[in-house]
């Protein structure tokens, strides 16, 4: 059967040359294409004043995600295609085959503003494959501890929904969640329902701007001891602002329990800039024929975008390799580690690398 289908596909491609038959299918229904994966927006729902959930129906070729993974979403704005990475907030086993992503607007963030304010039902958005290691183990863990802040709730929401959908019950779980105010808690009503209906699910909410009390801290040892006295025995998933994750990582590191901790960051960790080692210079984007000035501290993706280019990219934090290009000459610094890349032909992730003096990239 497969070989007959393959033969028919090859025949159709022959007639469609120089395109593929999939390009013509795209005109009928963008979800039928094989050369590019797309999703149709089938629902939009406001979660808080600055957060919106998009329900997406992925097209042919989508493979189901694992709870906690993220996807790259293409966002066409004014003829330019931008790409951003969002955690999937829905459970993998949804009956309707749809997924949800929950987008929080970022101040000055053109793409997040567009997704959370202007995208409407019926639009088609390019979609990537699910990715990421911030996932639950295949078998149900006995004692999870979730620590989330702000929109860091989204991958964990996928995990909680996945428990309910697959097992009907959430196992013995402690969840510490941080938000500025009560009205900023994303999925607040659903979390409340879980708290009321799932007897092993303990939710502790901290409003970081609602009082001058201890709660204003994003994670502390005291909060942890109070909410989860048996934290040493639990496997931990933490996602949220960098300050919260730094504090959580330091705490588990100090306890010698770092192996029990899984974290997901929204931004790459950066090494301190080497002071005298920062060198401004010119950046030559060879394939684009564009030259730009770099201050030695701005990542090359931003340098390219500020020069009017629109290089392919995804996560903007060094995970997906969607921004990889090749070093032609010069030297760049990986801002996460401080290490230098100066061998012509080496791969450069422009979203996390800065120029050190004059640089030429294949881009
Ligand atoms: S955009 Fe994902 S690694 Fe650079």
């Amino acid at each position: 059967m497969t070989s007959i289908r393959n033969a028919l596909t090859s025949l159709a491609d022959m007639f469609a040359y120089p395109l593929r038959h999939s390009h013509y299918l795209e005109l009928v229904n963008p979800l039928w294409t094989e050369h590019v994966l797309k999703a149709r927006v089938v629902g939009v729902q406001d979660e808080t004043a600055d957060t919106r959930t998009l329900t997406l129906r992925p097209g042919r070729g989508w493979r189901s995600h694992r709870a906690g993974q993220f996807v790259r979403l293409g966002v066409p704005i004014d003829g330019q295609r931008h790409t951003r990475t969002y955690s999937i907030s829905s459970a993998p086993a949804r009956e309707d085959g749809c997924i949800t992503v929950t987008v929080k607007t970022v101040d000055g963030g053109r793409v997040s503003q567009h997704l959370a304010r202007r995208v409407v039902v019926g639009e088609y958005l390019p979609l990537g494959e699910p990715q990421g290691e911030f996932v639950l183990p295949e078998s149900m863990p006995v004692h999870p501890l979730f620590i989330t802040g702000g929109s860091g709730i989204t991958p964990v929401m996928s995990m909680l929904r996945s428990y309910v959908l697959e097992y009907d019950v959430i196992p013995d779980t402690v969840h510490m969640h941080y938000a500025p105010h009560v009205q900023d808690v994303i999925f607040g009503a659903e979390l409340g329902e879980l708290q009321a209906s799932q007897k092993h699910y303990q939710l502790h909410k901290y409003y970081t701007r609602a009082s001058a009390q201890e709660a204003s801290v994003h994670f502390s040892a005291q909060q942890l001891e109070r909410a989860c006295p048996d934290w040493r025995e639990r496997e931990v998933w933490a996602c949220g602002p960098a300050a919260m994750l730094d504090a959580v990582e330091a705490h588990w590191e100090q306890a010698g329990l770092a192996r029990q901790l899984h974290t997901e960051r929204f931004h790459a960790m950066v090494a301190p800039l080497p002071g005298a080692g920062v060198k401004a210079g010119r950046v030559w984007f060879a394939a684009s024929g564009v030259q730009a000035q770099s201050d030695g501290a701005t990542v090359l993706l931003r340098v390219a975008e500020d020069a009017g280019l629109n290089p392919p990219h995804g996560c903007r934090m060094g995970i997906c390799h969607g921004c990889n290009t090749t070093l032609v000459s010069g030297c760049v610094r990986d801002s996460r580690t401080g290490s230098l890349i100066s061998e012509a032909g080496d791969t450069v992730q422009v979203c996390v690398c800065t120029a050190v003096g004059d640089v030429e990239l294949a881009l």
Side-chain angles (χ1 to χ4, degrees), residues 301 313-324 349-352:
L301 179 57
H313 62 274
C315 63
R316 302 179 81 95
M317 55 186 291
I319 295 175
C320 70
H321 291 272
C323 65
N324 283 6
Q349 287 173 276
V350 290
C351 71
V352 288

Side-chain angles (χ1 to χ4, degrees), residues 3 16 41 110 136 138 203 209 218 223 268 287 309 318 321 335:
S3 57
V41 180
R110 208 168 160 217
L136 290 175
E138 299 285 1
L203 176 65
R209 294 202 201 133
H218 265 111
Q223 290 168 351
L309 301 180
H321 291 272
S335 61

Side-chain angles (χ1 to χ4, degrees), residues 46-352:
D46 289 329
E47 303 288 353
T48 66
D50 58 2
T51 311
R52 175 174 280 185
T53 290
L54 306 178
T55 304
L56 306 171
R57 179 176 303 289
R60 198 177 275 179
W62 169 255
R63 66 171 169 81
S64 185
H65 67 287
R66 285 180 65 186
Q69 285 191 306
F70 57 82
V71 279
R72 288 161 65 179
L73 209 53
V75 190
I77 306 175
D78 299 336
Q80 278 206 330
R81 173 158 157 199
H82 304 261
T83 311
R84 292 291 183 275
T85 304
Y86 292 99
S87 293
I88 300 173
S89 50
S90 53
R94 262 175 76 131
E95 269 184 12
D96 61 2
C98 291
I99 59 168
T100 60
V101 294
T102 303
V103 180
K104 184 174 179 357
T105 56
V106 177
D107 283 345
R110 208 168 160 217
V111 176
S112 65
Q113 303 265 359
H114 183 85
L115 283 172
R117 305 260 186 255
R118 289 187 280 283
V119 162
V120 293
V121 168
E123 279 189 47
Y124 291 90
L125 303 174
L127 187 69
E129 291 287 345
Q131 289 178 293
E133 303 301 321
F134 186 75
V135 291
L136 290 175
E138 299 285 1
S139 55
M140 191 194 255
V142 185
H143 300 302
L145 165 60
F146 297 131
I147 305 174
T148 55
S151 56
I153 183 79
T154 50
V156 166
M157 200 65 216
S158 175
M159 296 174 181
L160 292 170
R161 287 170 168 166
S162 163
Y163 281 140
V164 175
L165 210 61
E166 283 183 46
Y167 306 105
D168 269 343
V169 289
I170 296 179
D172 174 11
T173 298
V174 178
H175 185 178
M176 301 169 69
H177 181 65
Y178 297 83
H181 305 96
V182 64
Q183 65 271 25
D184 299 313
V185 178
I186 304 170
F187 313 123
E190 189 174 342
L191 291 172
E193 280 165 26
L194 290 178
Q195 195 177 15
S197 61
Q198 295 282 337
K199 64 177 180 195
H200 302 299
Y201 172 64
Q202 299 172 51
L203 176 65
H204 301 268
K205 286 181 277 186
Y206 305 88
Y207 302 120
T208 52
R209 294 202 201 133
S211 74
Q213 310 294 309
E214 181 203 332
S216 62
V217 179
H218 265 111
F219 181 80
S220 71
Q222 292 80 357
Q223 290 168 351
L224 178 66
E225 288 295 347
R226 236 174 267 155
C228 186
D230 62 351
W231 59 273
R232 290 174 189 79
E233 278 98 63
R234 291 178 181 265
E235 194 160 355
V236 189
W237 283 264
C239 182
M244 185 197 91
L245 291 179
D246 289 347
V248 169
E249 280 175 353
H251 194 78
W252 262 261
E253 192 77 48
Q254 209 176 11
L257 298 171
R259 289 184 58 191
Q260 289 171 212
L261 177 65
H262 312 263
T263 56
E264 180 89 318
R265 288 180 180 266
F266 299 136
H267 302 288
M269 286 178 85
V270 291
L273 277 171
V278 173
K279 249 173 101 183
R282 279 166 308 172
V283 184
W284 174 246
F285 298 101
S288 317
V290 168
Q291 187 172 291
Q293 192 63 33
S294 149
D295 61 4
T298 305
V299 292
L300 287 157
L301 179 57
R302 277 288 304 279
V303 173
E305 288 174 338
D306 289 347
L309 301 180
N310 186 24
H313 62 274
C315 63
R316 302 179 81 95
M317 55 186 291
I319 295 175
C320 70
H321 291 272
C323 65
N324 283 6
T325 187
T326 305
L327 182 69
V328 177
S329 66
C331 179
V332 301
R333 173 179 288 108
D334 187 321
S335 61
R336 297 166 299 177
T337 59
S339 60
L340 299 177
I341 300 168
S342 56
E343 193 81 26
D346 275 357
T347 298
V348 176
Q349 287 173 276
V350 290
C351 71
V352 288

